[in-house]
């Protein structure tokens, strides 16, 4: 049985959407968590979860190797979760250099610090976007990584770097490739689910930046956190170390259908405003996660309707507190 009690864990991107929920879970399990935080964000989910005073906070960026190494060294890291990334496709299109510096350089900095300090266990967040575009669906782990737009390319590189360090230096590293993660605590309003919920709760027409026909796999935040914990607890297995795992639901849905689901849940009659201005987006993308089920025993526990209902309630509570 894996014991999290007093285990020294290092989390990059801890102030982000996924990072904050993962940190909260790790704290509850009794781990000693050190977080690398780039910005102090007003009303951040990490603060809302009430764990800010139960972690070691180091302020800095993954682009700065010396900060990463110092933090991992001084807090005697045994296990690293590398989640920090520039994760917005539109931002990557506008600012490819800063995206590459965060997502690629930041990854090799974390991995090199692990190697230099003897921190042998790490989980690195890649993405389904690392695959780029393939005609065959769903995407499987053995598919080549073919990211050809700035964000996709940055995640392809992240993914390859992680598995390179595992193979070359014998580190126990696993890679996660998630579909679109959603749930309470995501304050990136340009993303379709939080943006739509905010608009609808404000009695405004939701905005769809694409033409609405893009098809994606949406996975609930608690299922993703559970997957990270499951992988971490099994990192020393030869079937896990050096491997990549898809995390999805096999229930793809178009953006327009998703927006309609959300509006129906709120019982609002608001037609979306379709801008059709999204660029560098893959038309259809979803994942085969049978490898995670077969090797890890993991599978998602929430369907989309259940997850959206819980997510909607989270945002209702959030907006009532921050009027």
């Amino acid at each position: 049985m894996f014991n999290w009690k007093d285990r020294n864990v290092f989390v990059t991107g801890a102030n982000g959407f996924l990072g904050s929920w993962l940190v909260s879970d790790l704290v509850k399990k009794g781990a000693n968590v050190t977080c690398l935080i780039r910005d102090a964000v007003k009303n951040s989910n990490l603060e809302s979860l009430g764990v800010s005073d139960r972690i070691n906070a180091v302020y800095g960026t993954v682009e700065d190797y010396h900060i990463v190494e110092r933090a991992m060294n001084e807090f005697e890291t045994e296990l690293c979760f590398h989640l920090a990334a520039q994760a917005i496709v539109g931002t990557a299109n506008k600012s490819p250099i800063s995206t590459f510096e965060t997502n690629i350089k930041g990854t090799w900095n974390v991995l090199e610090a692990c190697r230099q300090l003897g921190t042998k266990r790490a989980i690195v967040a890649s993405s389904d976007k690392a695959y780029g575009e393939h005609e065959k669906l769903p995407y499987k782990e053995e598919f080549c990584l073919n990211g050809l737009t700035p964000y996709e390319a940055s995640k392809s590189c992240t993914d390859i770097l992680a598995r390179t360090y595992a193979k070359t230096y014998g580190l126990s590293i696993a890679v996660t490739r998630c579909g679109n993660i959603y749930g309470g605590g995501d304050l990136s309003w340009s993303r379709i689910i939080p943006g739509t919920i905010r608009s609808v709760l404000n009695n405004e027409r939701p905005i769809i930046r694409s033409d609405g026909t893009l098809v994606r796999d949406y996975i609930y935040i608690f299922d993703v956190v559970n997957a990270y914990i499951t992988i971490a607890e099994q990192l020393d297995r030869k079937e896990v170390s050096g491997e990549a795992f898809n995390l999805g639901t096999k229930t793809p849905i178009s953006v327009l259908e998703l927006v309609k689901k959300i509006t129906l849940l709120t019982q609002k009659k608001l037609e979306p405003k379709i801008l059709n201005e999204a660029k560098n987006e893959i038309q259809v993308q979803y994942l085969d996660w049978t490898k995670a089920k077969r090797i890890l025993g993991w599978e998602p526990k929430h369907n989309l309707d259940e997850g959206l209902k819980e997510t909607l309630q989270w945002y209702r509570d959030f907006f009532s507190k921050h009027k």
Side-chain angles (χ1 to χ4, degrees), residues 178-306:
C178 293
N180 289 20
I181 307 171
Y182 73 95
D186 186 358
L187 303 183
S188 294
W189 306 115
S190 63
R191 291 196 181 113
I192 190 65
I193 290 180
T196 297
I197 290 175
R198 183 175 69 166
S199 294
V200 171
L201 292 181
N202 287 330
N203 292 308
E204 299 169 354
R205 291 174 65 188
I207 294 173
I208 296 177
R209 291 173 177 79
S210 67
D211 64 0
T213 65
L214 300 179
V215 174
R216 294 290 184 269
D217 198 359
Y218 295 88
I219 182 168
Y220 194 42
I221 183 65
F222 293 156
D223 288 326
V224 178
V225 170
N226 177 255
Y228 272 82
I229 295 296
T230 300
I231 294 169
E233 292 178 349
Q234 300 185 43
L235 264 179
D236 290 335
R237 292 176 58 203
K238 64 179 181 179
E239 299 92 345
V240 177
S241 179
E243 295 294 320
F245 294 94
N246 288 342
L247 304 176
T249 63
K250 285 187 187 172
T251 53
I253 185 173
S254 74
V255 171
L256 188 56
E257 289 174 309
L258 178 66
V259 170
K260 286 180 178 178
K261 269 186 178 289
I262 295 171
T263 54
L264 282 172
L265 284 172
T266 60
Q267 299 181 323
K268 301 285 182 72
K269 294 182 178 180
L270 294 164
E271 287 296 318
K273 186 185 298 183
I274 300 176
L275 302 182
N276 194 19
E277 62 183 22
K279 297 179 180 179
N280 297 330
E281 291 279 7
I282 295 167
Q283 183 63 35
V284 181
Q285 190 172 45
Y286 55 97
L287 300 166
D288 182 330
W289 49 268
T290 54
K291 179 180 176 181
K293 183 176 182 178
R294 174 172 50 85
I295 294 177
L296 302 169
W298 173 89
E299 59 184 318
K301 296 178 180 178
H302 301 80
N303 62 40
L304 184 59
D305 289 334
E306 293 167 343

Side-chain angles (χ1 to χ4, degrees), residues 86-122:
Q86 193 300 103
I88 306 298
V89 172
T91 302
N93 290 336
K94 294 175 185 176
S95 304
I97 292 177
S98 62
T99 298
F100 294 155
E101 286 179 340
T102 300
N103 296 3
I104 304 174
K105 181 180 181 181
T107 297
W108 83 53
N109 279 344
V110 171
L111 294 171
E112 180 63 11
C114 286
R115 183 178 80 89
Q116 293 287 352
L117 298 171
T119 302
K120 294 188 176 296
R121 298 175 181 85

